[in-house]
Amino acid sequence: MMREGPDGTTVEVRVIPRAAKSALAGQRDGAVLVRLAAPPVDGQANDALVTFLAGVLGVAKRSLAIVHGDKTRLKRVLVSGMRAADVAARLTLPS
């Protein structure tokens, strides 16, 4: 789910686009499940994911980058400058 490296922490994220509202939705297959209100058209869901995660993690959008899965639901997001423990603490998932 999360790997800490020299540049920051990589998080596996599974996206469900066109949800009623954007929210964390638990975990699935070792990935953080994120429901997004945006449709998966012209990168809108990717932009919404970066904006949403930046708000949840309390970092600037420029600190996040989708490093894998730009056109799929399963994505790998790099959170620059944050340790895995800090990312996990801020991604408090609903039970």
Side-chain angles (χ1 to χ4, degrees), residues 1 10-15 31-32 36 45-46 49 66-77:
M1 179 155 115
T10 306
V11 181
E12 299 286 332
V13 178
R14 179 171 292 277
V15 174
V32 175
L36 293 174
N46 289 337
L49 176 65
I66 298 173
V67 295
H68 182 68
D70 193 42
K71 297 191 184 286
T72 66
R73 290 181 185 225
L74 186 60
K75 302 176 185 301
R76 193 171 303 133
V77 179

Side-chain angles (χ1 to χ4, degrees), residues 14-17 19-25 28 33-37 52:
R14 179 171 292 277
V15 174
I16 299 174
K21 65 177 187 170
S22 297
L24 293 173
R28 182 180 297 165
L33 191 61
V34 178
R35 296 184 189 280
L36 293 174
F52 176 74

Side-chain angles (χ1 to χ4, degrees), residues 2-93:
M2 288 187 218
R3 294 186 215 319
E4 191 170 325
D7 296 331
T9 300
T10 306
V11 181
E12 299 286 332
V13 178
R14 179 171 292 277
V15 174
I16 299 174
R18 290 194 173 119
K21 65 177 187 170
S22 297
L24 293 173
Q27 294 181 18
R28 182 180 297 165
D29 298 330
V32 175
L33 191 61
V34 178
R35 296 184 189 280
L36 293 174
V41 178
D42 296 330
Q44 291 179 38
N46 289 337
D47 293 342
L49 176 65
V50 168
T51 300
F52 176 74
L53 287 178
V56 169
L57 295 171
V59 298
K61 290 193 293 186
R62 68 178 174 270
S63 298
L64 299 170
I66 298 173
V67 295
H68 182 68
D70 193 42
K71 297 191 184 286
T72 66
R73 290 181 185 225
L74 186 60
K75 302 176 185 301
R76 193 171 303 133
V77 179
L78 174 65
V79 184
S80 298
M82 278 188 89
R83 295 180 43 215
D86 297 332
V87 173
R90 293 183 184 180
L91 285 178
T92 53
L93 303 173

